[in-house]
Amino acid sequence: MLEATMKQQLGAYLEKIVTPIALTVSTNSSEKSQELESLAREISEMSEKISLTVKTNDGGRVPRMVVGPQGEQGRVTFAGVPMGHEFTSLVLALLQAGGHPSKASQELLSQIKGLSKPLRFEAYVSLSCHNCPDVVQAINLMAVLNPNIEATMVDGGVFPQEVEELGIMAVPTLYLNGEPLGNGRMSLEEIVNKVDDDADARIAQELNAKAPYDVLVVGGGPAGASAAIYAARKGIRTGIVAERFGGQVMDTLSIENFISVKETEGPKLAMALEEHVKQYDVDLMTNQRATALREVDGVKEVELACGAVLKAKTVILATGARWREMNVPGETQYKTKGVAFCPHCDGPLFKGKPVAVIGGGNSGIEAAIDLAGITRDVTVLEFADSLRADDVLVKKAESLPNVKIVKSAMTTEVLGADGKVVGLQYKDRTNDESHVLDVDGIFVQIGLVPNSEFLKGALELTARGEVVIDAHGQTSLPGVFAAGDVTTTPYKQIIISMGTGATAALGAFDYLIRNS
């Protein structure tokens, strides 16, 4: 199960185990059971501090592996074979169950240990999903730290009937005590705050007590990180408030145009950005969404969803953008029930089924190429009469036998039945004829919408919702700057966002000097 290089790396990690741990594997005659047992045996043979017990046909989800300290009932379970992106989750579970400390803040760890009610988490994942490990690793850590908590990773590819019965068509999907808790990437802090009834009031009180900042950056993507670093290097009081660090980059799998780095992945880049920011004296506040911006007696105030208000002399808006929706009947109703936005995450749930991709730009054609290797067939619908994707991608897509490209196609409705997508309706723009396409999944890849709704009325926005800025990143409200995908800056690219973040920070510093 483990390649030589992977085994060597795992061996180095297993040396960090402090207290003995036990693996309990439940199997049957299936191929996946054999794979899981083989994986568990390889791991147990690599360390004297790991014991293995194998049970056959003992009920429940099979195959599964339970991880826990020796002599205790394990509370971390992997239902399926935790390889692919989830191998890291397994390694962390082994280390943490073996007493190796987490890198999470002591404040957050104490909050987890203080949760008193029983919590039974189940995270439904696909092994190709790069968002899923964050959720799995979060609930696993919570289970290791608190005896009231249990955590189970469920590979939807191994348990398709369960996924079908629950109507799960997007991953990660997190259940708590048998009820849905959330979809999509969620951080440890976000999950803890969801289940901690006192979290919002306590956090709001803590944030309200913070002294005003010289520069407050709203948003934690490439633009926000760049702005924070440039501001902090000037020696001024700097803070970042964001829903999550990394922003949309966290949803980007492959990055091949970041100059000086031949290839990387979005989550890796986001982690590097966060580590770089933490090298400076920056007050980092995550899992917080801005809901309003105003100026009171010359002081900028940013109101948050939790009810807190942060104050600053200058503000840099770097809230980025999100996937644009089709805005057609049925889309909202069937979101996560067949309407999806991440082919890497949700594609495996449509194995052997027909799907559609909306959009013929780079994102759409890349999605079609990826999905072609998983699904029965892929139909790309492009509104224009020509594709906007790079020629190399178009040629690749056209060479695939199960990819069909339809141009001048306007999607008019998402069709569904029994709580899930069964097709879509589109109009041929050349003759106004209506067509129905029978598909089980629809992947929307039609561009971005700026995250600027909370700024309406506070400063100048374009008709598209972009924040209008000048060459220095200054908005129409003096002392408020903006950077990245939320602005009128053309070409929404990571490297451009970083540049505009630096520009906004330097502009804010110049403003502080002139108005001190």
Side-chain angles (χ1 to χ4, degrees):
M1 290 296 296
L2 299 177
E3 297 176 352
T5 302
M6 185 182 294
K7 202 166 186 176
Q8 183 178 9
Q9 293 173 342
L10 177 59
Y13 281 119
L14 295 182
E15 291 178 1
K16 300 178 181 180
I17 293 177
V18 179
T19 57
I21 60 176
L23 304 181
T24 303
V25 175
S26 299
T27 69
N28 54 24
S29 60
S30 68
E31 181 180 345
K32 287 298 179 182
S33 286
Q34 296 173 16
E35 290 180 11
L36 182 60
E37 182 177 348
S38 176
L39 174 63
R41 291 194 183 281
E42 285 189 66
I43 293 173
S44 65
E45 291 169 357
M46 295 175 65
S47 173
E48 295 180 350
K49 293 183 178 179
I50 302 178
S51 65
L52 172 63
T53 301
V54 178
K55 300 180 179 180
T56 305
N57 297 321
D58 62 345
R61 295 187 184 100
V62 178
R64 69 178 185 275
M65 176 165 59
V66 180
V67 180
Q70 286 187 16
E72 296 183 20
Q73 179 66 40
R75 299 187 297 274
V76 174
T77 301
F78 294 91
V81 185
M83 296 298 289
H85 284 293
E86 292 302 341
F87 185 68
T88 302
S89 301
L90 172 61
V91 174
L92 284 174
L94 295 171
L95 293 178
Q96 291 163 357
H100 188 69
S102 167
K103 293 182 179 180
S105 69
Q106 288 302 313
E107 181 182 16
L108 187 54
L109 296 177
S110 296
Q111 186 181 358
I112 294 170
K113 293 175 182 178
L115 297 172
S116 59
K117 56 187 178 182
L119 303 172
R120 179 172 55 86
F121 289 107
E122 294 166 305
Y124 291 85
V125 308
S126 65
L127 300 186
S128 62
C129 169
H130 60 283
N131 289 326
C132 294
D134 278 6
V135 174
V136 174
Q137 291 164 24
I139 62 174
N140 284 354
L141 176 59
M142 293 173 70
V144 168
L145 294 174
N146 190 318
N148 296 312
I149 301 175
E150 298 177 8
T152 301
M153 179 215 81
V154 183
D155 180 1
V158 178
F159 300 93
Q161 184 176 352
E162 185 174 345
V163 168
E164 183 78 18
E165 290 174 353
L166 292 172
I168 295 173
M169 303 186 74
V171 291
T173 292
L174 184 61
Y175 273 66
L176 173 61
N177 297 334
E179 298 294 331
L181 182 67
N183 292 97
R185 181 189 291 273
M186 287 176 279
S187 66
L188 172 62
E189 183 179 13
E190 184 178 356
I191 295 172
V192 172
N193 289 337
K194 277 179 175 286
V195 299
D196 185 351
D197 297 332
D198 301 323
D200 283 348
R202 184 177 62 252
I203 292 170
Q205 184 177 12
E206 293 172 357
L207 295 178
N208 279 329
K210 291 182 179 289
Y213 298 93
D214 291 317
V215 174
L216 177 63
V217 181
V218 184
S226 175
I229 291 170
Y230 266 74
R233 285 175 61 87
K234 294 297 184 180
I236 55 181
R237 177 167 162 74
T238 304
I240 288 185
V241 61
E243 286 195 72
R244 62 173 179 171
F245 203 93
Q248 195 185 11
V249 166
M250 294 293 285
D251 300 324
T252 304
L253 189 60
S254 179
I255 299 171
E256 299 178 349
N257 58 357
F258 189 73
I259 309 307
S260 83
V261 180
K262 288 192 292 185
E263 183 178 1
T264 187
E265 295 178 353
K268 290 182 180 179
L269 178 58
M271 185 180 299
L273 288 173
E274 185 172 3
E275 289 176 353
H276 196 175
V277 168
K278 288 180 176 178
Q279 295 297 310
Y280 296 92
D281 187 16
V282 176
D283 189 2
L284 182 56
M285 299 160 281
T286 55
N287 195 34
Q288 300 299 325
R289 178 171 57 87
T291 57
L293 170 69
R294 54 181 174 263
E295 186 175 47
V296 180
D297 297 330
V299 177
K300 281 70 180 175
E301 294 185 350
V302 175
E303 185 173 335
L304 306 177
C306 68
V309 175
L310 299 173
K311 299 179 180 181
K313 296 177 182 177
T314 64
V315 170
I316 297 176
L317 302 167
T319 49
R322 63 186 183 278
W323 290 115
R324 182 181 298 278
E325 298 179 356
M326 297 181 290
N327 292 319
V328 299
E331 179 181 25
T332 301
Q333 180 181 356
Y334 294 105
K335 195 177 294 182
T336 75
K337 299 298 181 182
V339 175
F341 297 86
C342 180
H344 304 293
C345 302
D346 301 332
L349 298 177
F350 297 90
K351 183 177 181 179
K353 299 178 179 180
V355 300
V357 173
I358 311 301
N362 282 347
S363 297
I365 299 303
E366 286 174 350
I369 294 170
D370 290 340
L371 291 166
I374 303 171
T375 63
R376 191 189 78 192
D377 54 66
V378 183
T379 302
V380 178
L381 301 182
E382 165 56 40
F383 183 84
D385 58 5
S386 61
L387 299 178
R388 295 167 287 112
D390 294 342
D391 188 56
V392 63
L393 295 174
V394 174
K395 289 181 179 178
K396 174 64 176 177
E398 290 177 339
S399 71
L400 299 173
N402 61 336
V403 173
K404 178 182 178 182
I405 298 174
V406 181
K407 303 170 188 176
S408 298
M410 182 175 72
T411 304
T412 55
E413 185 177 0
V414 173
L415 306 175
D418 299 324
K420 61 182 181 181
V421 167
V422 296
L424 65 80
Q425 184 171 301
Y426 72 92
K427 183 174 70 174
D428 186 335
R429 297 177 57 243
T430 63
N431 55 23
D432 284 341
E433 288 185 3
S434 184
H435 302 269
V436 172
L437 189 63
D438 294 328
V439 293
D440 291 333
I442 302 171
F443 291 84
V444 184
Q445 304 281 293
I446 54 175
L448 304 171
V449 176
N451 296 317
S452 61
E453 287 83 357
F454 74 103
L455 298 171
K456 290 180 179 179
L459 42 72
E460 184 182 359
L461 304 175
T462 67
R464 290 169 50 87
E466 296 174 324
V467 179
V468 178
I469 59 172
D470 64 14
H472 299 276
Q474 171 71 61
T475 71
S476 60
L477 181 59
V480 176
F481 297 77
D485 288 359
V486 76
T487 73
T488 50
T489 300
Y491 312 121
K492 313 304 184 185
Q493 299 289 313
I494 293 171
I495 198 164
I496 292 174
S497 290
M498 288 183 173
T500 61
T503 298
L506 295 174
F509 182 67
D510 183 60
Y511 176 89
L512 289 169
I513 292 175
R514 290 186 286 106
N515 294 275
S516 59

